[in-house]
Amino acid sequence: MEQKTSSDFIYHLFLFFFSFKMFTTKMATAQKVPIFIKVGLVLDKDEQMGLNCISMGLSDFYARHDYYKTRLLLFNRDSRGDVVGAAAAVLSFYRWSVARKLVRKCILYTSTDFCTLNAALDLVKNIEVQAIIGPLYSVQANFMIAIGDKAQVPIITYSATNPSLSSTRSPYFIRATLNDSNQVHAISAIIQAYGWREVVLIYEDNLFGEGIIPFLTDALEKVNARVPYRSIIPSLATDDQIVAELYKLMTMQTRVFVIHMLTSLGSRLFTKAKQLGMMSEEYVWIITDGIANELNSLDPSVLESMVGVIGVKPYTPKTKELDDFTIRYKKMTQQNNPKVLSPDLNIYGLWAYDTATALAMAAEEARLGINSRFGYANVSRNSTDLEAFGVSNAGPMLVHALSNTSFKGLAGNFRLVDGQLQAPPYQIINMVGPGARGIGYWTKENGIVKDLNFTSANAKSYSTSKSVFGTIIWPGDRTSPAKGWVIPTNGKKLRIGVPLKDGFAEFVSVTWNSDNSTVVKGYCIDVFEAVMKKLPYGVPYEYIPFATPDHYMAGSYNDLTYQNYDAVVGDVTIVANRSLYVDFTLPYTESGVSMVVPIKDDKSKNAWVFLKPLTWELWLTSFCSFVFIGFLIWILEHRINEDFRGPFWYQVGMIFWFAFSTMVFAHKERVISNLARFVLIIWFLVVLILTQSYTASLTSMLTVQKLQPTVTDVNDLISNREYVGYKNGSFVYGLLIKMRFDESNLVAFNSPEQMDELLTKGSKNGGISAAFHEIPYLKLFLAKYCSKYMMVDPVYKAGGFGFVSILNVTEGKILVEIETTWLGNKIKCPDSNTLLAPKNLGLASFWGLFLIVGIAGVLAFVIYVIKFLRENLHVIEHSNPDSTTWDKILVLCRRFDNKDLTSHTFKNISGDREIALMDSPLQSPSSFSMASPCTCTNVPPSPIFSSPISVQNNTIVQGSNSTGNAVVNQEIELVMTNENEQLNSTLGHAVQ
């Protein structure tokens, strides 16, 4: 019994382990089975590049991520390159009944033949996909976007670039390629760099071609470039239609073309343009990435016809992964089709590869599984087609996962922004021979740059400089760009009227040839032609002289402006009455009317000319400053400097002598006080500047010839009824009449020579006293006769010469060069104003210097007074209580008049006295009695002292007390205290 129980236990244990093993094996097997996600492909059957790249992308991805639970299962449908084919291919992924209704409805919106439609219906299947990759072209996308939006199935395109296809229309439309509008700013930057002002747009007549036009037009307007014409070429245009359109472009003046079309049409366009001679030096061709992205697929003959073309395309970074993929792609393609020598691989194939990678990553991230299915609502039989459509429950999760997917793909960084691929920098290329050569880059942040450096922020501003491009091969094998316009073959020439002049031919001159043709030249003509060259377009014109059949001026300048010309070029002044009938532009010459009069030489001598360099205010200020400095130095030096002591009139003389001797630095007195030295340093600087300025001004007055006009006031001419001249036919005549000149006193002249002759004669000899003319003419006249005449104010304002838009010319060097050519090669003559006597110097030019020296002097004086009062404060403190303020002031003044024995300048004197006493024979003490009288030599004589001074009990007193002036006695006692102490000390040493 026990043995049986043991056997049963072992048997059941074996069954348990066997069942567990079978269960775990089954579970492991179940876990290794991937979850397939159905994905549809809507591509043309000829589009093998996209299909191959998608397949290789998925193979490479799952080889690196074999642990992923999901796998994309592809279902390919041929779109046949048209709208209905694409629609039918999409419907083949859904139910037959719904598909039949939608395709039948599609017939109402397209004109595709029914054979194509029947072929599409043959592909209708009962497949329900979770995402669709496609379509290939923008024209196929609208219907697919509507289906994807209704079914909540993401529609992912890697090649439909039309800007109108936006995710704002449907959140289920994902553009894994670039929007065409991203490149318009790169194109406009090129246009701006070369200064082209007109651009013709040539584009394909379909959704792809016309989608970029509004964005491109706006970008060109921001750089001041206009679009005068849009050339629209049908997608299926014949060669004759292309040639006819090119001939139309040849008759226009604009020569800058921007081409946006697919390569199938673009290759034919450039071939015909080459045959018609439109790839010559006067043309500029710029292609968008629609052609630039597929240059390697073009025939070599087409590439040869595109030499000199400029283009833009998205920048693809060179990486090892890209090189390896390119090699594998070409190897695989040649194995499948050995006849293909050079398999095509462009950026669209790289975007297809990255699209497959992104969708595989998103499917895993969204955790799509067996629960991902379509739901169908209960609808009636009479419901609409869209109501009968199924809705995917996995669509929102897949769209969200795609939006958050980012990685570094073969084409660059893959990152979706608002459902569209983030734009990389654009590469600018130049077609040279068999291929394209990179000449620069364009970035949104920095504009046109030579090299890309994503880790550096060295570019500080947006650049549109053409210098970064280096050498570019332009059409016609030229290295210099075309100006962008020519004179149109069917254009009407402008009729430009020019005046006929007898004099002042430097401004305008007209000569006739033997065949009655004319040659027009001059300053005004050169300015006009320089303006026309600056225009961004060609304007044909011809000069028509305003002359009679016998080659004389046909009227006045007013008559000229009233003629039926398209424009008038010449020395035509802008005045109010002419502006009522014609439009003037900005003036290009100096405006105004003035008068020229003869000059006379004033050689009269003036004995007082040496006073003229300075005004009387400056003379007076300088004199006062000298006296102030002299008095201030005397105050600062009087107590410590023997040179500034002595009798009263001696000291007064010293003040003036020292002050004015500094003017020529001839003073010999030594200055001891630091305050005085400080003041003198500043004063010497002022004196140096003042004397040098005086010398320069006096030299100018003595050497410059004094030329004075014979007439300085117009009113004198009017009141004296003097004769004055004016240019015949000029508006100046009317101006003189308004100034109240008598008409009988006005004399006309025609040339500078006649003007000189009339001024030389003078008003009393049949000539004129003054000549009135516009300033440009007068300057030209004075350049020839500068030694005889001068221009005198006032200047009567006028508008100056003017015609067509001349702002760019007047702001640059062109106008200066023209003026030098016609008006600057005359006799050089100094300005008549510089011949006048120089003006004298005034106080306004030097008040700052006097202010500085005044402040320095006052500051030094204040410091000295404060120091003096502090040293002699005991004089006031020990004064007689009955003394008045005036008495105290007198005591301080007498104290000031005495020597400062504490100064180092007098210590040497005391030392010499002590040595003399020590060397003398000793006398008896009685001989040095303090009661004996002593003459005090250190105290200068003063009128105050009327009696002898003696020393009694160590106190200096007057010999007679008849005056009874205790204050004076006290002052004398204090003054002599220091000297008595020194004397007693000396005597003590001698006794010892």
Side-chain angles (χ1 to χ4, degrees), residues 460-501:
K460 298 181 180 179
S461 61
Y462 188 87
S463 171
T464 57
S465 174
K466 62 182 178 183
S467 61
V468 302
F469 289 140
T471 303
I472 298 179
I473 303 300
W474 298 94
D477 290 333
R478 288 175 58 91
T479 57
S480 58
K483 58 184 178 181
W485 57 268
V486 295
I487 297 176
T489 57
N490 60 348
K492 175 185 176 182
K493 291 185 177 181
L494 295 179
R495 301 173 68 250
I496 308 298
V498 293
L500 190 65
K501 301 169 62 65

Side-chain angles (χ1 to χ4, degrees), residues 287-309:
I287 58 175
T288 64
D289 61 1
I291 298 177
N293 284 337
E294 301 186 55
L295 290 175
N296 56 355
S297 65
L298 296 179
D299 189 85
S301 61
V302 177
L303 295 176
E304 183 180 357
S305 66
M306 295 176 64
V307 173
V309 173

Side-chain angles (χ1 to χ4, degrees), residues 602 698-707 834-838:
D602 184 13
L698 181 61
T699 303
S700 297
M701 289 183 176
L702 294 176
T703 57
V704 175
Q705 186 182 17
K706 300 176 183 178
L707 301 178
T834 63
L835 301 178
L836 298 176

Side-chain angles (χ1 to χ4, degrees), residues 105-212:
K105 187 175 182 179
C106 184
I107 299 175
L108 301 176
Y109 299 100
T110 66
S111 59
T112 308
D113 56 84
F114 287 98
C115 294
T116 304
L117 185 61
N118 289 332
L121 293 177
D122 288 339
L123 298 175
V124 174
K125 302 292 183 181
N126 293 325
I127 303 173
E128 297 175 345
V129 295
Q130 300 295 339
I132 299 177
I133 298 178
L136 192 63
Y137 302 108
S138 299
V139 294
Q140 304 169 334
N142 280 327
F143 190 75
M144 291 181 59
I145 293 175
I147 295 176
D149 186 51
K150 181 62 180 175
Q152 296 186 3
V153 173
I155 306 296
I156 310 168
T157 179
Y158 62 86
S159 57
T161 59
N162 187 279
S164 63
L165 305 176
S166 174
S167 60
T168 57
R169 297 177 52 185
S170 171
Y172 294 94
F173 175 67
I174 304 298
R175 193 201 303 267
T177 183
L178 295 180
N179 190 328
D180 278 339
S181 62
N182 291 331
Q183 62 186 317
V184 298
H185 295 292
I187 297 174
S188 65
I190 299 175
I191 300 296
Q192 184 180 9
Y194 288 97
W196 295 313
R197 291 293 176 261
E198 287 191 349
V199 179
V200 171
L201 305 182
I202 306 175
Y203 58 94
E204 192 170 347
D205 188 15
N206 57 19
L207 187 63
F208 166 79
E210 65 189 14
I212 193 179

Side-chain angles (χ1 to χ4, degrees), residues 64 125 253 389 397 416 464 469 512 515 544 566 791 808 844 859 919 979:
R64 296 190 304 267
K125 302 292 183 181
Q253 66 180 9
F389 234 77
M397 295 183 294
L416 298 176
T464 57
F469 289 140
W512 272 266
D515 58 353
I544 302 177
D566 294 319
M791 190 166 19
N808 289 337
L859 180 62
D919 292 338
E979 187 170 359

Side-chain angles (χ1 to χ4, degrees), residues 620-883:
L620 180 60
T621 304
S622 300
F623 177 80
C624 295
S625 298
F626 276 103
V627 175
F628 169 73
I629 292 298
F631 183 71
L632 179 61
I633 298 301
W634 176 82
I635 292 176
L636 300 177
E637 293 288 320
H638 176 68
R639 301 188 68 226
I640 61 175
N641 195 338
E642 289 286 356
D643 293 335
F644 291 86
R645 300 186 61 81
F648 174 78
W649 289 110
Y650 173 81
Q651 298 185 49
V652 172
M654 177 58 66
I655 290 175
F656 285 92
W657 157 253
F658 182 85
F660 287 96
S661 64
T662 58
M663 182 169 57
V664 291
F665 307 101
H667 57 285
K668 62 180 180 178
E669 291 74 20
R670 189 165 59 97
V671 178
I672 299 174
S673 171
N674 287 333
L675 290 176
R677 292 173 178 174
F678 165 72
V679 174
L680 284 179
I681 289 175
I682 299 176
W683 175 245
F684 287 155
L685 177 62
V686 174
V687 170
L688 178 63
I689 296 175
L690 192 62
T691 55
Q692 293 297 324
S693 301
Y694 172 85
T695 304
S697 180
L698 181 61
T699 303
S700 297
M701 289 183 176
L702 294 176
T703 57
V704 175
Q705 186 182 17
K706 300 176 183 178
L707 301 178
Q708 299 294 334
T710 56
V711 180
T712 58
D713 193 352
V714 177
N715 294 323
D716 293 341
L717 296 172
I718 299 174
S719 60
N720 296 333
R721 299 183 63 83
E722 300 281 350
Y723 289 94
V724 298
Y726 68 94
K727 178 65 171 66
N728 189 23
S730 172
F731 76 97
V732 177
Y733 174 80
L735 177 63
L736 296 176
I737 294 298
K738 292 181 180 180
M739 295 169 60
R740 301 185 182 278
F741 276 97
D742 195 309
E743 187 175 358
S744 60
N745 294 330
L746 302 180
V747 180
F749 56 84
N750 293 314
S751 65
E753 293 75 17
Q754 188 178 1
M755 179 179 172
D756 172 56
E757 180 182 355
L758 292 173
L759 287 170
T760 303
K761 291 181 179 180
S763 183
K764 296 180 180 180
N765 299 319
I768 58 178
S769 298
F772 288 84
H773 211 337
E774 296 175 73
I775 290 179
Y777 297 101
L778 295 182
K779 287 187 174 181
L780 187 62
F781 175 78
L782 292 176
K784 186 176 182 181
Y785 301 101
C786 61
S787 61
K788 300 172 61 177
Y789 310 103
M790 65 187 306
M791 190 166 19
V792 181
D793 291 337
V795 176
Y796 303 94
K797 291 298 182 181
F801 300 164
F803 43 78
V804 187
S805 176
I806 49 115
L807 184 59
N808 289 337
V809 174
T810 57
E811 289 182 345
K813 297 181 180 179
I814 299 177
L815 187 63
V816 177
E817 295 173 356
I818 297 174
E819 185 173 348
T820 302
T821 301
W822 289 99
L823 308 179
N825 292 333
K826 307 301 177 186
I827 300 175
K828 298 299 180 181
C829 183
D831 190 354
S832 59
N833 292 328
T834 63
L835 301 178
L836 298 176
K839 296 181 180 180
N840 47 14
L841 302 175
L843 181 60
S845 302
F846 299 96
W847 69 268
L849 291 175
F850 290 113
L851 178 63
I852 293 174
V853 75
I855 293 175
V858 172
L859 180 62
F861 177 75
V862 171
I863 294 175
Y864 178 81
V865 170
I866 294 174
K867 180 181 178 183
F868 176 77
L869 292 177
R870 187 180 61 180
E871 293 176 351
N872 298 277
L873 184 62
H874 60 282
V875 175
I876 301 176
E877 293 176 349
H878 296 83
S879 62
N880 193 329
D882 298 332
S883 300

Side-chain angles (χ1 to χ4, degrees), residues 604-619:
S604 61
K605 303 300 180 181
N606 191 341
W608 302 98
V609 68
F610 68 91
L611 295 176
K612 290 186 177 181
L614 307 182
T615 61
W616 68 268
E617 296 94 344
L618 185 55
W619 278 116

Side-chain angles (χ1 to χ4, degrees), residues 49 52-53 56-57 60 296 316-335 340-347 349-351 353 409-411:
M49 180 187 66
N52 292 338
C53 289
M56 294 180 66
D60 294 344
N296 56 355
T316 303
K318 302 298 182 182
T319 60
K320 183 178 182 301
E321 292 78 7
L322 177 60
D323 295 337
D324 294 341
F325 173 77
T326 303
I327 295 174
R328 291 191 294 114
Y329 174 83
K330 291 182 177 181
K331 183 178 180 180
M332 184 194 72
T333 304
Q334 289 177 346
Q335 289 177 351
V340 179
L341 299 178
S342 179
D344 298 334
L345 178 62
N346 52 44
I347 195 170
L350 304 183
W351 281 331
Y353 183 97
L410 294 181

